[in-house]
């Protein structure tokens, strides 16, 4: 896990981070795990730079692994209301 650094600026070992985090998180943040941090960091880097390769390097994965497991894809779609309204009214024409 390369998402977080230790005091010396080096990557912190996953088991060291996990132990420290569990001791500090308490009940309010019990849902937050090291994977949550990796996923959040990779998503933030990808969305900021639009570069999955760069984002994959943050948690130390390949691009394919990062895209499949760590980079969130926004759950938004283009605004297709006009097309769907025409379709609902029975129009098959792609343009008005």
């Amino acid at each position: 896990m390369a998402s977080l650094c230790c005091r010396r600026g080096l990557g912190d070992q996953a088991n060291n981070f996990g132990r420290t985090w569990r001791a500090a998180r308490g009940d309010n943040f019990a849902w937050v795990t090291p994977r949550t941090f990796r996923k959040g960091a990779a998503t933030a880097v990808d969305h900021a730079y639009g570069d999955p390769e760069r984002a994959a390097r943050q948690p130390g994965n390949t691009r394919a692994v990062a895209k499949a497991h760590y980079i969130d894809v926004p759950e938004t779609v283009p605004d297709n209301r006009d097309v769907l309204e025409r379709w609902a009214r029975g129009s098959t024409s792609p343009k008005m």
Side-chain angles (χ1 to χ4, degrees):
M1 173 170 89
S3 294
L4 302 170
C5 295
C6 66
R7 281 180 272 190
R8 295 177 289 144
L10 304 171
D12 200 4
Q13 296 296 319
N15 60 338
N16 291 342
F17 171 76
R19 183 176 50 247
T20 303
W21 176 246
R22 283 188 302 276
R25 72 181 176 193
D27 292 335
N28 289 338
F29 297 102
W31 61 272
V32 179
T33 65
R35 183 179 189 278
T36 309
F37 278 103
R38 289 191 302 273
K39 187 169 183 155
T43 298
V45 171
D46 181 61
H47 289 186
Y49 293 101
D51 184 358
E53 183 69 36
R54 185 177 189 155
R57 294 187 68 193
Q58 190 63 38
N61 295 116
T62 64
R63 179 183 176 152
V65 169
K67 286 182 82 172
H69 301 286
Y70 292 108
I71 298 172
D72 271 340
V73 177
E75 293 184 18
T76 58
V77 297
D79 185 358
N80 294 315
R81 288 178 288 182
D82 59 333
V83 173
L84 296 174
E85 284 291 328
R86 289 194 309 271
W87 175 73
R89 288 178 169 67
S91 173
T92 58
S93 172
K95 305 252 186 203
M96 287 185 96

